[in-house]
Every structure is written in C-alpha cells, then in structure tokens.
Amino acid sequence: MKIPPHTDHFLLSNNLLSSLLDDIPLISIFKGKWSSIRAKLSDLRTQLIDVSHFPNSSSNPLSLDFLHSVLEALTQAASLSHKCRNPALSDGKLKTQSDIDALLAKFDSLLKDGEVLIRSEILHDGVVSSSSSRREAVRAESRNLITRLQIGSIESRVLAIDSLLQLLNEDDKNVTIAAAQGAVPVLVRLLDSSSLELKERAVAAISIVSMVDGVKHIMIAEGLVLLNHLLRILDSGSGFAKEKACLALQPLSISKENARSIGSRGGISSLLEICEGGTPGSQASAAAVLRNLASFSEIKENFIEENGVMVLLGLLASGTPLAQENAIGCLCNLVLDDDNLKLLIVREGGIEFLRNFWDSVPSARSLEVAVELLSLLASYSPIAEALISDGFVDRLLPVLSCGVLGARTAAARAVYELGFCTKTRKEMGESGFITPLVNMLDGKSVDERKAAAKALSSLLQYSGNRKIFQKEERGIISAVQLLDPSISNLDKKYPVSLLSSVAISSKCRKQMVAAGAGLYLQKLVEMNVEGSKKLLESLGRGKIWGVFARS
C-alpha cells in the first residue's frame, strides 16, 4: 500500500524503507541482526501507513516529530547497511556490531513511540477553535501532553511534564479531566525512569492528583506498584520528592492492606526519619501519613519498635502548626485504649507541648485534634488530675461554644473525662459549663448530642449543678427528646441518667411528662435501658397514662 504523500517525510521514509527491505537480504554478515532489523522495518512501515491515514498527521507536531525521528533512523540504517555490504568493514567488526545493536534499540524505541501515537486520540484532534468549550480544550491538551510523556527523548518528556504540571495546578477540574484521559498510569510508569528530573516531576504531578477527591480512586487503583515507587522515594529521594511522595501516600494509607504493606516495607521508619530531619513541608506530610497508619491497631507495634512516640512528641514541640496538628492526630490514634502510652506521653513532657500548641493555634478547627488528645489522656484518672492542675478546664469552656462541630464534640467528651470528682464538677458548673452543654443537646449531629448528654450526666451528680440545669429553659425538653428510640447510635443511659438526677424536683417531673418522657421511657424499659424503669416509676404511672391517652 502506498503511503499518501502528506509530507516529504512520508515520501522519503517510504522510499528508504523500500530500499532497505530490498537491500538487507543481500547483506552477508550479521545476518541474524539484520534479519531482526528487517522485521522491525516491516512493522514500522505498517505504523507509517496507519499514521498517514489520520487527517491531522501532516500538521500534528507529535506526528511530525515522529516522522522526523523515523527518517533519521532510516538514514542511519541505510548508511550502516551500505558498510555491511562492503566486506572490508572499514570501522571494524566490533564497532559495526555495536552500531547495529544501537540501531536495533532505536527501532524498538520508535515502534513503541509509534504504538503510543496511534493508540492515543491526539491525531483525531483538530485545532481547538475559540468557540470550543474550555473543557474540550483541556481534554485535547491533556491527551497531547500524556502522549508526549510516552514518546521522544528525556528532554522532550521533561518539557511535556512541566506543561502538564502547569495545567494540573491551574484548576481541580483540569486534574479530573487529565486523570480521565489516562494521566495517572503514565505518571506512575515515569517513577521508574532513569531521569531524576522526570521522577521528581512525576511524583509532584501524582501528589496533585492525590489531593483531588474525585480522582483519588484512579491513583489508589495503581496499588502496590505505585506504593513501592513512593516508598523508594522516601528512602532515597530529594527533600522535594519526599514531600510530594508523602502527599501521594496520604490517600493510599487509609486502606488497611496498604497500611500493612507500608509497615512491612519499612515505610514507618522512613516516615519517622522525615519527621525528625525533613523539610518543614515534608515533616507535616509524613506526619499525616503516620496519622493514617496509626489508626490500624496491628501497625501500632511498628511505631513502638521505631520509638515513634518520642519522634512525634519532638515534632509536637518544634514542628510547624500543620506538622504539630498531624503529630497530635497520630498520637490520638496510638494512645487509644493504651494507658502505658498515655503515661509515656505525660512523662516526656506531652502535657506541656499540648498546652503550648493549644494556646498558639489560630482557629478552633486546628484545635479539634488537640481537644481529642486531651479527652483520651483524661480518660486515665491519674493523668486527668495533672491536666486539671495544668489549667485545661478553663481552656475547655470556650471550645464548647465554638463554631466547629468536631471541636465542640471532643470538648464535651473531655468534660466527661475530667469531671471524675465532685471538686471538678463543682468548678465546671460554677464556671459556666452547663449552658453550652444544654445548647449542644439540640445539635444536628448525634455525636454532639450524645457527648453533651454524657458530660451533663456526670456534672449533674453534683447537686449545685442540678439547680443551674433546672434554670435552663430547654434543658429538660432537649434531654427528653434524646430518649426517643428512633434516634440511633445514642446510648440512652446518659439522657436517662441526666433526667434521673433532677427527677427529685416535682417541677422537673411535670416538665418531663409534658415533653412526652413517659412514652419514650416505656419503650426504653422494654429495651432494658439502664435506669429507665426507675425513672419511669419516679414520674408516677397515673399521670403518665393520662398523657398516653392523648391521640
């Protein structure tokens, strides 16, 4: 089949190919190697025909670059075949053999480039007009850059990935479009490149993808191949590459399977080393990965073996605010149900570090994780006493009224843990803790309401706090509403305990009955909820049945 004469490159390449295919059988030395070259030339001819049939092959820059490279290789092959037909071999046998091997490698590379070029859709793409949508323009540009990443020289690929990084940094929508065009698998393959420039830029591009929720799954689908590349970068990459690798590891490390792989491949040790001596940015990113890993109980042993708690405390003492926040989050996951680790944190100055962080954070959102650690540490009563002595009760009060749901909820849990004795309950009541906790009983989140009810059930064990609670207009009504069995994931024993503590007051009992407590309690008695039967009896059956009779 004749190649359509779109350009001189097509004509010259076709003529050279035909001539070489005719001449190669006449060569008597290195016949096996020349036979391999002839087979590759036949495949190359097929590719040239395929490329020529695309309407934009004569104007597309990648197509023209490919044809130029083919023509150069064919010219070199023609010169070498001429030498091999001369028995004298003016360059010597070893030099000629080396040249033939290099030529074979070049044709292999060209065939791969041609396959990528044909398989991609860029030769279908026309010039994007000004009336074309922005999305279509980005889609076409993404296809072009992704193809350029797979063909040509290292230098041309570096230029292509620089352009891709620019595109990805412009807009999350661009990331979504590029990922849909197949950017991620190509970037992952570049992590295996011999070029340090390409590797670093590839991991930077992957880190951008990792931060866009809608396409994280595409990156996660690369599995252990990507994971192993990133772990190698943690060991031997530059500071820049390590930081980007840590960013990319964040969505990967939320999976238990990946967490196990990271732990078994020495990843925790590498991440802790970055926390100790990395750049400020890489420290924060590494701590974020460790925070994810620490949520899996089977990984905890790796942290202990690597002296991880001490490293995290060091980061909490001197890291950037984000690094400190992630270090605290990691410590929260580690100390869960482990009193020994809680004591270790306190012995090594953890309370002081936590207090300093607490007093320096610019917003309640950043404070959420610190309040959570406070709550976990306070669950061990010897530590709770130290926290109270260090002034954390006063620090908790404003958090209960802040605009961050997670911080408020964690603060309510901390109130429950710190309110383990009458003295502290009295102090909290007199300081104004009751009102914000009552307000939280009407919160939109079940977790918030549950935490508030639990905290109040503890504080109201002190009689003085019951008087404060009774003055709250919505206190009884809000607590009764929490008895509703249809509210799931809320332990009813806490609102029952809360209401039982004020049921001694006839006024409060009347408010409970009027709010429908009888109906709810009867159902809770059937569910064997702790304290519900006693509270139901205290309200008086006759009055309750009067309420039940309403329809």
Side-chain angles (χ1 to χ4, degrees):
M1 181 183 295
K2 185 177 179 182
I3 299 174
H6 293 317
T7 68
D8 288 341
H9 287 95
F10 275 119
L11 285 173
L12 291 171
S13 297
N14 189 44
N15 290 337
L16 273 173
L17 261 170
S18 298
S19 176
L20 279 165
L21 290 171
D22 291 339
D23 289 345
I24 286 175
L26 304 177
I27 299 174
S28 59
I29 58 173
F30 302 116
K31 290 178 70 81
K33 292 183 183 293
W34 280 107
S35 177
S36 296
I37 290 175
R38 195 168 192 269
K40 295 182 189 302
L41 290 175
S42 296
D43 292 339
L44 193 59
R45 168 179 269 181
T46 302
Q47 285 189 350
L48 288 173
I49 293 170
D50 291 341
V51 168
S52 71
H53 285 161
F54 286 101
N56 298 311
S57 61
S58 61
S59 58
N60 186 281
L62 283 179
S63 171
L64 294 175
D65 286 347
F66 174 67
L67 289 171
H68 179 73
S69 298
V70 167
L71 186 57
E72 281 189 341
L74 291 173
T75 302
Q76 183 182 347
S79 173
L80 195 55
S81 69
H82 178 72
K83 288 181 181 178
C84 287
R85 289 199 303 274
N86 180 357
L89 286 180
S90 57
D91 288 337
K93 191 170 185 179
L94 288 177
K95 174 67 167 58
T96 304
Q97 182 176 351
S98 175
D99 290 344
I100 294 174
D101 288 337
L103 187 62
L104 275 166
K106 183 172 289 189
F107 280 127
D108 278 334
S109 178
L110 284 170
L111 286 169
K112 288 177 184 176
D113 288 354
E115 183 182 355
V116 170
L117 190 63
I118 294 164
R119 193 173 62 245
S120 72
E121 298 182 25
I122 63 166
L123 295 180
H124 289 291
D125 294 334
V127 177
V128 179
S129 67
S130 58
S131 61
S132 299
S133 72
R134 164 68 179 163
R135 182 180 294 272
E136 283 302 318
V138 173
R139 187 176 288 116
E141 178 65 7
S142 296
R143 281 197 294 265
N144 175 54
L145 292 173
I146 292 165
T147 304
R148 286 172 56 194
L149 288 176
Q150 300 173 77
I151 64 177
S153 66
I154 294 294
E155 291 76 13
S156 67
R157 296 186 192 202
V158 168
L159 291 174
I161 202 167
D162 282 341
S163 298
L164 180 63
L165 281 168
Q166 185 176 354
L167 187 73
L168 297 178
N169 277 313
E170 285 177 5
D171 193 327
D172 283 356
K173 292 179 181 178
N174 290 1
V175 177
T176 303
I177 293 170
Q181 299 303 311
V184 174
V186 174
L187 290 169
V188 171
R189 287 197 292 275
L190 289 178
L191 294 178
D192 205 23
S193 170
S194 59
S195 165
L196 181 60
E197 283 184 292
L198 270 179
K199 276 185 179 179
E200 291 204 342
R201 287 164 169 80
V203 74
I206 290 170
S207 73
I208 296 171
V209 175
S210 74
M211 292 183 281
V212 179
D213 289 334
V215 293
K216 286 180 182 178
H217 66 283
I218 299 177
M219 195 182 78
I220 292 170
E222 293 298 313
L224 286 177
V225 175
L226 174 57
L227 196 64
N228 288 333
H229 281 308
L230 295 174
L231 291 176
R232 280 195 289 272
I233 290 171
L234 292 187
D235 278 335
S236 58
S238 65
F240 170 83
K242 287 180 179 180
E243 179 177 346
K244 300 305 180 183
C246 287
L247 286 173
L249 280 169
Q250 287 180 38
L252 295 175
S253 56
I254 61 175
S255 139
K256 180 180 286 190
E257 181 183 353
N258 285 343
R260 286 173 178 165
S261 297
I262 292 170
S264 64
R265 288 166 168 77
I268 291 176
S269 174
S270 299
L271 291 163
L272 288 170
E273 285 180 12
I274 293 171
C275 286
E276 284 188 291
T279 63
S282 65
Q283 286 180 324
S285 301
V289 180
L290 290 169
R291 182 177 180 177
N292 289 341
L293 297 175
S295 64
F296 301 103
S297 57
E298 57 263 54
I299 308 295
K300 185 181 292 187
E301 192 61 36
N302 296 88
F303 281 88
I304 295 171
E305 290 174 359
E306 299 292 342
N307 203 26
V309 171
M310 300 301 295
V311 174
L312 292 166
L313 286 173
L315 194 57
L316 173 55
S318 60
T320 64
L322 181 57
Q324 290 175 312
E325 186 177 337
N326 286 327
I328 294 172
C330 187
L331 289 170
C332 284
N333 289 331
L334 288 176
V335 303
L336 195 64
D337 302 322
D338 193 325
D339 290 343
N340 289 328
L341 285 183
K342 293 173 188 175
L343 286 171
L344 174 62
I345 287 173
V346 173
R347 283 199 303 268
E348 297 299 332
I351 291 179
E352 179 186 354
F353 301 151
L354 181 62
R355 184 186 66 237
N356 292 340
F357 174 79
W358 192 303
D359 293 343
S360 65
V361 291
S363 69
R365 188 168 301 281
S366 300
L367 194 58
E368 179 179 344
V369 69
V371 184
E372 185 65 32
L373 182 58
L374 173 68
S375 173
L376 290 167
L377 293 176
S379 65
Y380 190 44
S381 55
I383 298 177
E385 294 176 6
L387 291 167
I388 292 167
S389 300
D390 220 272
F392 277 97
V393 170
D394 292 337
R395 288 179 171 84
L396 269 180
L397 181 57
V399 184
L400 290 171
S401 302
C402 75
V404 180
L405 172 62
R408 290 198 308 271
T409 305
R413 287 197 291 266
V415 169
Y416 174 80
E417 300 295 354
L418 290 174
F420 66 94
C421 65
T422 301
K423 180 183 177 182
T424 308
R425 291 171 188 148
K426 180 177 183 292
E427 179 186 342
M428 288 181 172
E430 293 174 349
S431 298
F433 277 69
I434 304 296
T435 297
L437 286 169
V438 169
N439 293 336
M440 289 174 66
L441 293 177
D442 290 325
K444 294 181 180 179
S445 161
V446 172
D447 284 342
E448 179 181 15
R449 285 180 277 173
K450 176 172 65 177
K454 191 173 179 180
L456 284 168
S457 72
S458 173
L459 294 187
L460 295 194
Q461 292 179 42
Y462 170 64
S463 59
N465 290 343
R466 295 172 204 159
K467 296 176 183 178
I468 299 172
F469 178 81
Q470 290 172 43
K471 293 178 183 178
E472 293 291 332
E473 185 178 346
R474 289 225 20 113
I476 297 291
I477 296 172
S478 299
V480 168
Q481 289 174 347
L482 298 183
L483 299 176
D484 187 349
S486 67
I487 302 175
S488 58
N489 299 320
L490 195 155
D491 194 335
K492 305 301 179 186
K493 72 179 182 183
Y494 295 114
V496 167
S497 171
L498 188 167
L499 291 168
S500 296
S501 66
V502 294
I504 192 172
S505 162
S506 60
K507 179 182 178 181
C508 290
R509 290 198 302 273
K510 289 177 182 178
Q511 287 179 310
M512 292 180 210
V513 172
L519 286 167
Y520 294 143
L521 284 169
Q522 189 177 45
K523 294 177 182 177
L524 297 184
V525 169
E526 295 170 0
M527 296 163 62
N528 295 316
V529 173
E530 181 182 330
S532 58
K533 183 177 181 180
K534 185 176 180 180
L535 179 58
L536 180 62
E537 291 171 348
S538 74
L539 296 185
R541 292 186 180 278
K543 294 179 181 178
I544 296 174
W545 284 114
V547 176
F548 288 170
R550 297 175 186 172
S551 60

